Structures are given as structure tokens and as C-alpha cells.
Amino acid sequence: MTGNGIEGAFDVAGSHAALAFFSTLAPSRLGHGYLFTGPTGVGKKTFARRLAQSLLCETPKRTLLGYCGACPGCTIFVAGTHPDFVSAEGTIKIGKEPGSALHDEDLTARDLVRELSLHGYRGRYRVVLLGDVAFATHEAANALLKFFEEPPSGVVVLLTTSAPGSLLATIRSRFVELAFGPLPAADVERILAAGGASPQKARLAAEVALGSIVRARAFLDEDDAGTRDASYAWFASAVRGETPDVGFLRLDDRSLTGAEKRAAVGELIELVRAAARDWVALSLAGADVPLLAADQKPLYDRLPARDPKALVALLAAVGDAARLATTNVSAGLVVDYLRLQLAPRRGRGSDERC
Ligand SMILES: [Zn+2]
């Protein structure tokens, strides 16, 4: 707490650009739409929620950012009952159809139109947060476009996505886009330790988390650690030219949304990118090089050797797959593309020398 009773609660790691932007923005210049982009688990949604609470905090303050945590606005925000805060995650569909995969808590495009047409009940602002946003159809996206034609004053829409390229250009162009970056390992370690992890476990998880707090927590969670191991095993099979099973990604599971599947593939690609970097480093610099996923060294040691030029090309190809994953190309196609890029290219005389 600082002297004026406003919390300095904006040390959301990874949010440097957004923090710099909003901390210098005069309240009178606050726009109607902000899009937070960046990898999964770097604090986009956390930052968006804190920005929302800042706008709905009823304690007077000079800056946009910061909230008191004690006023009626903060109290009902934290309780999840603030009438001027609407939040939803995942794909926005047109309407609830019987038998569809739509859950009751999902926001439909019709709900969205209504929510966006209202002024704040309690105060000056009304905040609509759509996390990992995707639109099932153009009609759903149009709900948002219509809002921008004549936005009610004080209504602010916050979107987060790890795949900005999957959004319609007409939508994207309406928003001020702020990029979130991967977190330094020291930040991940600090956040895990603050959350109750033992110092040893926090350090180990931070080392292999590749800048994502979500990934670090998954590493600490025994149930989720299986996906991480499965991803590294998938990588090892793919570089041997096999067609490894991708069942762990649940791409055929109809209860998952397109955004959830894209997030799963994005996670696979991040881990594959780390594995590829480790493999290249071990191949070029020898066994003592520091690794991104040191616990996977036994797996790396069993990989076939590959020509240095081919290894460098492979790193670039994984980067291409990562870019493809931020577009609206289907998750399954992205995985196939990645597997083909990792496979040895026999007959071109460039890589394999097992
Ligand atoms: Zn407050």
C-alpha cells in the first residue's frame, strides 16, 4: 500500500509494454478496445483483470492503474459480482443451440451485443473481458464491430489471445494491441515461491517453464506433467521420422473449443521449440551447454545426430510452425506441418548421419 491507499498491484511479470502504456495514459484518453497478445501463461488475463478492477475501484486516484482493495467497487469485483464487469473465455458463438458444446456460462454473441450496449451501473466504467477470445462465425465477430460504430461512453473491451492472427483483421484494427513477453525465470520462481512452492521446486519449475507461469505450474502439478513429457516424447519420435500419436492434445475431443485446441498445439510448439534449441546446442556446443529443459537430457542423448546446417534450418522451421499456429490454420494441420519439418530429409543429402 502506498500513502494514498492505492495498491501497487501491477507487477504482473511480462506486462512491461502494457504497464508502460497504461501508467502514462490520461483517463480522458482511455479508448474502447485493448488487445493483449503473447504466449500462454505470461500474465495477459491477470493484467486485464487488474486493469478492470482499477477502472471499477471507487477510491479517487490520479492514475488509471491501481485499486484500493477495500471500497465497495473492489469488494464486489473480488467477489465476482460487480455488475459492470463481464468476463468470458474462449469462443464466442451466436447463440445457445440444444446439444451444442456451448456451456451455460459461455457468453453468446447476443449476450455480448447486450452487454456492450449498457452504460456502467455503479460508476463511470463498464469492462468486458474476453479471454483467449475467438469468434465462431463472422456474425459473432460483427457483434463487436457494431459496438465500435457507436461505443457507449465508459465501456471498455479487453481481449486476450495467443493467436492474434486468428482474429479478423477488421476486429484487430479496432483495438490497441499490446504485446506480453515471456517471463524471466527469476520472476517465475518468485511467483511460484509466493504461491507456496518450496524453493527447490520453484527453482526447478522456473528453469524449465520457458517464461510461462502456467507451464511452470503445470510442471509442479503431477497430473499435468504428463502432457509435458508427452510433448518431448512426441518431438523425439518426430525427429526420427515416425508419426507419433497426438492423442494427448485431444484434437478430436468435441467438447474442446477451437481456441482450447489451438492453445494445446501452441504449448506443444513451445516445448518442441525448446527441445529443438537444446538439441542444436548439445550437437554444436557439447554436453556442458546450459539447457532449457535440463531434465530432458536423457531423451536428447538418444536422438540421432544431424548435420549442423540441417539443425539450424530445423530451428527456423519450428519458428515457422509457431507463426502458423497464431493464424486460423487448423490445429491438426499445424501439428502435421511441424512433424514434417522435424522429420529427417532422406535423399536430399543434407542431414541424417546416424
Ligand atoms: Zn477500490
CSV table of all heavy atoms in Angstrom, one decimal, residues 57-59 67-71 74, ligand 1:
chain,number,residue,atom,x,y,z
A,57,CYS,N,-12.6,0.5,-9.3
A,57,CYS,CA,-12.3,0.9,-8.0
A,57,CYS,C,-12.9,2.3,-7.7
A,57,CYS,O,-12.8,3.2,-8.6
A,57,CYS,CB,-10.8,0.9,-7.7
A,57,CYS,SG,-10.3,1.6,-6.1
A,58,GLU,N,-13.6,2.5,-6.6
A,58,GLU,CA,-14.3,3.8,-6.4
A,58,GLU,C,-13.5,4.7,-5.5
A,58,GLU,O,-14.0,5.8,-5.2
A,58,GLU,CB,-15.6,3.4,-5.7
A,58,GLU,CG,-16.5,2.7,-6.8
A,58,GLU,CD,-17.7,2.0,-6.2
A,58,GLU,OE1,-18.1,2.3,-5.0
A,58,GLU,OE2,-18.3,1.2,-6.9
A,59,THR,N,-12.3,4.4,-5.1
A,59,THR,CA,-11.4,5.3,-4.4
A,59,THR,C,-10.8,6.3,-5.4
A,59,THR,O,-10.2,5.8,-6.4
A,59,THR,CB,-10.3,4.6,-3.6
A,59,THR,OG1,-10.9,3.7,-2.7
A,59,THR,CG2,-9.4,5.5,-2.9
A,67,TYR,N,-5.8,0.0,-7.5
A,67,TYR,CA,-7.1,-0.1,-6.9
A,67,TYR,C,-6.8,-0.3,-5.4
A,67,TYR,O,-5.8,-0.7,-5.0
A,67,TYR,CB,-7.8,-1.3,-7.5
A,67,TYR,CG,-7.0,-2.6,-7.6
A,67,TYR,CD1,-6.9,-3.4,-6.5
A,67,TYR,CD2,-6.4,-2.9,-8.8
A,67,TYR,CE1,-6.2,-4.6,-6.6
A,67,TYR,CE2,-5.6,-4.1,-8.9
A,67,TYR,CZ,-5.5,-4.9,-7.8
A,67,TYR,OH,-4.8,-6.0,-7.8
A,68,CYS,N,-7.9,0.1,-4.6
A,68,CYS,CA,-7.6,0.1,-3.2
A,68,CYS,C,-7.8,-1.2,-2.5
A,68,CYS,O,-7.3,-1.5,-1.4
A,68,CYS,CB,-8.5,1.2,-2.5
A,68,CYS,SG,-10.3,0.7,-2.5
A,69,GLY,N,-8.7,-2.1,-3.1
A,69,GLY,CA,-8.9,-3.4,-2.5
A,69,GLY,C,-9.9,-3.4,-1.4
A,69,GLY,O,-10.2,-4.4,-0.8
A,70,ALA,N,-10.4,-2.2,-1.0
A,70,ALA,CA,-11.3,-2.1,0.2
A,70,ALA,C,-12.7,-1.4,-0.1
A,70,ALA,O,-13.6,-1.6,0.7
A,70,ALA,CB,-10.6,-1.3,1.3
A,71,CYS,N,-12.8,-0.6,-1.2
A,71,CYS,CA,-14.0,0.1,-1.4
A,71,CYS,C,-15.1,-0.9,-1.9
A,71,CYS,O,-14.8,-2.0,-2.2
A,71,CYS,CB,-13.8,1.2,-2.5
A,71,CYS,SG,-13.5,0.4,-4.2
A,74,CYS,N,-14.3,-2.5,-5.3
A,74,CYS,CA,-13.3,-3.6,-5.2
A,74,CYS,C,-13.9,-4.8,-4.6
A,74,CYS,O,-13.6,-5.9,-5.0
A,74,CYS,CB,-12.1,-3.1,-4.4
A,74,CYS,SG,-11.0,-2.0,-5.4
B,1,ZN,ZN,-11.3,0.2,-4.6
